[in-house]
Amino acid sequence: MSDQENDAAMMDEMDEDQIIMDDETQPSSSLHTLPTRRFYLTRRGKILQSTTERYLRDDLGYGTMLVPSTVTGGKSTETIAGKIVNLVPWTIESVSSLWNVVTSTASSYGNKVRLAVIDTNVLLHHMDVLEYLRASDDDGNNDKDGENKHIAIANAIVIPQTALEECRHRSLVMYRRATDLIRSSSSGEDGSGGKRKICFIVFADVHHSDTQIKASDNNDAIINDENDARLRKVAWFYGNALYNHLHDRSMDQDSEVVFLSDDVQSRKLALLEQPSDDNVADGVYYKARSMRQHVALLQKEDPTLHLLDMVAQFNSAPDSTNRSVDNASKEIYYSPHIDSSDLSYGLKSNRYYQGTYRSNRDSHTEGYVTIRRGEDRVAVVVKGSDDINRAVDGDVVAIELHSIDRWLGSAEEEQSDKQKGAGKKESDQAGESAKESPEAGIAADTAEPTLKDIDNIAEEVAVDEEGQLRRPTGKVAGIIRRNFHKNYCGSICTIEKVEKKEDNDTPHPHDVIAEKHEREHADGVTSTVVFFPIDNRIPPILLRTTQRDRLVGMRILVSIDSWPADSEYPLGHYVKTLGVTGTKDTETQVLLQEFRIPCEPFPAKVLACLPPADYKIELEPGRLDMRHLPVLSIDPPGCKDIDDALHCIELPNGNWQCGVHIADVTHYVEAGSAIDLEAANRSTSTYLVNKRLDMLPSLLTTDLCSLKGNVDRFAFSVLWEVTPEAEVVDVEFHKSIIHSIAALTYQQAQSLIDKPDKDCRDDIQAGAVKRLAVLARKFRERRIRAGALTLASPEVKFVLDSESLNPTDVQAYTLYEANALVEEFMLLANVTVSKKILRHYPTLSVLRRHPAPNRSMFDGLIQKARTKGVSICIDDSKKLADSLDEAGKKLSDNPYLDKLIRILSTRCMSPAQYFCSGEYQAKDWHHYGLAAPVYTHFTSPIRRYADVCVHRLLAAAIGVAPLPVFLSSKSHLHDLAANMNRRHRAAQLAGRASVQLHTLIFFAGGEEGEGGGAKEEDAYVLDVETSPNSEPSFTVMVPRYGIEGRVRLSHIAAKDDENLIRDPEKHRLAYKDAKSGKMKASVAVFDKVRVKIWVRSSRDRKELIVDLLEPRALADPTVLEEKERTTKKKKLKTKK
């Protein structure tokens, strides 16, 4: 039997946890192989032998570094100072060369030279510390001879091959960060006196003849212990070499070799294994420290470091001084996780199911895990801290299903949920309190997409023969792989001793948690504080920091390290400070980080794919020359990334030819190239109030691909022959070259539409736009008859100061007929292209679907509309469109109510999703909002990667280019669609968050006082809280600013006030006079009220607050008094 066959047979039967013997034959120094025999006990009781041979070399020296090459054609490349540099490996052949390398770095702590050897856990958990590098003049300290030195944890860091390979096996993210760190440290000239900032040496300990371990060194050991022993041997190798080098040359240099490991047992063995030598400092050749011990030592040498904040935490740090904590009786908050062997057996036996835990977007105390049951994928609800059991969003977990009687949907479960209040953990209550925050915000456009919409995942399963549906629930039994490599944005909250102004003035939930968990530690240097992430899916994180006072009021990045069972919240470490809370630049960084928006500059390998600066666009073979046609574009003012252009001419036969011309992005973005992979990752451009983050480099986005006026551009064109009555006779698809005669704004195009016909006879632009408008009206009328919806959005736009870019005014969007003109032709092009690619690639087409809404999503709106005598039918999109039109007629005396109902209808629907046609049945391809059987995105390839994929599919369908290989794989298309949906949604949320940020700045008076300040405006009631045991309140929409907020009537005695009338059927709150019993005032859904919008600021947060002004009988007297005082001040100021 061959070695490969023997290994395969062994893997079928062996239990990896039962290694009963390890027998190594240590070769003499003349041999170049190391045979290793292992014996395994199988579950059937057999003993199998595995023999491997490892090649050893005696020419590996003291490690390898990457250095910039002066010779072209280096083996690796890296971008250094904006330039592509060839890097080649260089072997440190002698100890003298090693000493020169170590002492030639710019890192310095006094006069001591340090070399650190790190183990796997340091790579996995302390990458932020390894990446830390600070110029010493940041604190105003320069070297005596003027040399600007840099500070890191050591002059040189040795990364053994064993540690690097184990890191790759356990976390690819950290492995990539480690390799990036090795490359980035390879720049020689860095402005620090010509010295390297720090030196990273990769040491091939696995194949180095001097770092092999003997069988006697490792009896009855498992592989992990063998790896640890080899790492200690590496540290001894370097310590011994450097000691002998300095001793032989009688060099009086303070130096040390440090083995960094968080494994307590490995550090103990490091001391026991070293032969004692009285001539060596401290009797050892190298010292073993944990990362925290090492950094604490460095921080004593330089108190300005604050590097302890970046050290990972692995226990709940019981050494507190200002809390009476009994370490022996520490509270255990969570059940222990199942160990790996039992977990593995449980997964195989289907007792447990594996999946990724995802928190709900608005709370970390509820989420779901998608599992496979047979051929179906099912979402299992995980609710409450006990069942979540320390899982964090993105963790791969093993879940155990609850019994069916505990699944959601049963009457018992619903009743139980209502009664569970006192039994909830503080963490659950904090999550719910956060959801009840009075903060107002920007109104949402659509409902959150369901799992069925996003990824075709079932949320309910049949539990009996009658087909009764319930939502499965379960609990996390164990963690398979943590998702702790992300950084989270937020702020710390510290205990603030403030006397309550009133008895009912309850503290903020953040203050309650901070009061419980903040403490000082016995070392007198560090303290534990509570960090609250912006992302509601992540629980509060306990940080151990040396700079609490400096971090208060700042936005910071934090990483999670661990979550032991005796800690109510996860433990983490500080990464870096973004800036002061509330400032525009800082909060913009925060929202980009929160929604994971790619915002880094395009790397050199992407820019290398671009055409040269002097690139000229000329007619190519196979491309249709359409430069003679009167093509023009219509876009918002100031638009630079012009995706589309239009034309319409009369044909000799009396019909019209109209065309949609889309930027030919795929001409410049080759499939599979670096720029294509970058675009696929970004998937979409992100539009914030004050900036745009492009999917493609600006040379393409705003120049070569932008269909600007009066220049030649490559395009992908769809041409229709239509009758004057808008009946399509024929359609053609061409790669083309066009010459736009004008780049019009919507307002300019509207002026051409409104221009009298007699003035347009010789006006080419006006004639084309008028013909397009005629066709667009008929296309739109036909779509509406087919059931397409006319919905609405509360979106507004800001007027920004030209210098500070702070908001000075808020305006509603003005829509012209020209907007509808462009929309109709883009819809026509997208529908036409979707049909074409689907005919040629029925299972590989990238389409966009909009599922029909569930009736339950509309129930609330249907009931509220009845209070105004309006009936809404959602049986299909046609009936919904008709009922909305009928509602508009009934509410004609108040046009905004018509718009409001359309806004709320949009919110009852999930957003559309990208998908691969082969993953859904044809009946599920339907686009509900557009009433289209099939639909795709073709018209915006500059800013959407889905359109790039569709361009490639269309090019292949018409035979002008082959279909890229990766677009022939349904699994790859599934991943592409999932990423595009995620990025598209993130870009939408980031855009909304940017609007929210600028809204706060506006109502706070601006960063420099130039904003609007507090405002009084009309608002409309969207929802009224009529539950018996709730605080009286209602939600309003402020049309002027697109703001939605909760108005609280907290001054009214909530539960037991006999004068408060709650009317759930009419969605109304009323208040009667205590003496006369007459009705004083009432608020019902869709009522018009007057509100005040203002910003409440505290030490770590700003909140947009909406207070009631009218009806006055329901308004808070203190709010009315404040209004009167403000009015008097304004009158006095006016008189003066």
Side-chain angles (χ1 to χ4, degrees), residues 501-522:
K501 296 179 181 180
E502 301 177 7
D503 292 339
N504 63 346
D505 186 11
T506 57
H508 193 279
H510 290 187
D511 296 326
V512 175
I513 298 174
E515 175 72 28
K516 179 177 180 180
H517 293 280
E518 185 175 331
R519 61 183 180 271
E520 301 288 341
H521 292 290

Side-chain angles (χ1 to χ4, degrees), residues 1014-1016 1090-1094 1105-1107 1109 1119 1122:
K1015 297 288 184 182
E1016 296 178 9
R1090 189 76 175 170
V1091 297
K1092 175 186 176 182
I1093 310 162
W1094 59 287
I1105 305 298
V1106 180
D1107 285 332
L1109 295 177
V1119 175
E1122 177 63 25

Side-chain angles (χ1 to χ4, degrees), residues 119 136 239 509 615 763 922:
D119 74 352
S136 58
Y615 180 80
D763 190 333

Side-chain angles (χ1 to χ4, degrees), residues 56 72 183 206 320 389 396 597 778 990 1036:
L56 302 182
T72 58
R183 294 190 189 98
V206 176
S320 55
N389 195 12
V396 179
I597 304 297
K778 294 176 179 178
V1036 298

Side-chain angles (χ1 to χ4, degrees), residues 781-1060:
E781 181 183 355
R782 194 173 299 155
R783 278 197 315 108
I784 298 299
R785 285 202 306 267
L789 299 176
T790 303
L791 301 174
S793 167
E795 193 174 9
V796 295
K797 65 178 181 179
F798 289 96
V799 178
L800 302 180
D801 181 78
S802 59
E803 294 182 1
S804 67
L805 296 181
N806 285 332
T808 59
D809 195 11
V810 181
Q811 298 177 352
Y813 276 102
T814 303
L815 297 178
Y816 301 96
E817 184 184 354
N819 295 74
L821 182 160
V822 175
E823 180 185 11
E824 287 305 317
F825 278 95
M826 296 305 109
L827 293 175
L828 178 63
N830 288 334
V831 170
T832 304
V833 169
S834 68
K835 293 177 180 177
K836 178 67 174 178
I837 63 174
L838 200 53
R839 280 197 296 271
H840 289 265
Y841 301 103
T843 62
L844 298 174
S845 292
V846 176
L847 303 178
R848 189 159 173 83
R849 62 188 292 269
H850 184 210
N854 295 326
R855 183 172 185 85
S856 60
M857 300 172 73
F858 264 92
D859 281 345
L861 177 59
I862 291 172
Q863 293 174 12
K864 293 170 187 174
R866 286 194 190 125
T867 65
K868 292 293 183 182
V870 172
S871 176
I872 296 178
C873 178
I874 64 166
D875 291 345
D876 56 48
S877 61
K878 173 62 176 171
K879 291 182 179 179
L880 176 58
D882 291 342
S883 61
L884 291 177
D885 291 341
E886 187 64 28
K889 296 175 183 177
K890 289 186 177 181
L891 302 173
S892 57
D893 57 330
N894 190 341
Y896 186 76
L897 284 184
D898 175 36
K899 181 178 180 180
L900 186 59
I901 288 180
R902 292 180 188 275
I903 290 173
L904 295 178
S905 297
T906 307
R907 243 191 250 184
C908 295
M909 304 179 199
S910 298
Q913 301 284 319
Y914 296 110
F915 70 102
C916 171
S917 57
E919 291 192 288
Y920 288 82
Q921 297 179 6
K923 64 182 180 65
D924 295 323
W925 296 346
H926 186 77
H927 196 293
Y928 180 84
L930 297 175
V934 291
Y935 188 71
T936 193
H937 273 165
F938 164 76
T939 54
S940 294
I942 291 178
R943 59 186 179 88
R944 292 188 305 230
Y945 190 74
D947 303 57
V948 174
C949 295
V950 171
H951 276 230
R952 288 174 177 149
L953 286 162
L954 181 59
I958 64 176
V960 299
L963 185 68
V965 175
F966 64 83
L967 289 182
S968 302
S969 166
K970 283 199 293 186
S971 62
H972 185 82
L973 287 171
H974 168 84
D975 294 340
L976 268 180
N979 186 62
M980 290 187 293
N981 288 327
R982 182 173 58 85
R983 291 291 196 195
H984 180 74
R985 184 63 177 164
Q988 286 182 320
L989 295 175
R992 190 191 305 167
S994 180
V995 173
Q996 171 79 1
L997 167 61
H998 284 76
T999 301
L1000 277 172
I1001 294 172
F1002 178 77
F1003 284 105
E1007 289 184 317
E1008 304 297 333
E1010 72 273 26
K1015 297 288 184 182
E1016 296 178 9
E1017 284 293 337
D1018 291 336
Y1020 289 86
V1021 178
L1022 300 182
D1023 183 51
V1024 180
E1025 180 56 71
T1026 57
S1027 301
N1029 296 322
S1030 63
E1031 178 187 52
S1033 62
F1034 53 91
T1035 304
V1036 298
M1037 168 80 77
V1038 185
R1040 172 78 169 79
Y1041 301 111
I1043 291 171
E1044 180 179 336
R1046 197 80 174 166
V1047 176
R1048 298 183 180 277
L1049 307 179
S1050 53
H1051 59 287
I1052 298 176
K1055 300 179 185 177
D1056 52 356
D1057 194 330
E1058 297 177 354
N1059 300 315
L1060 180 67

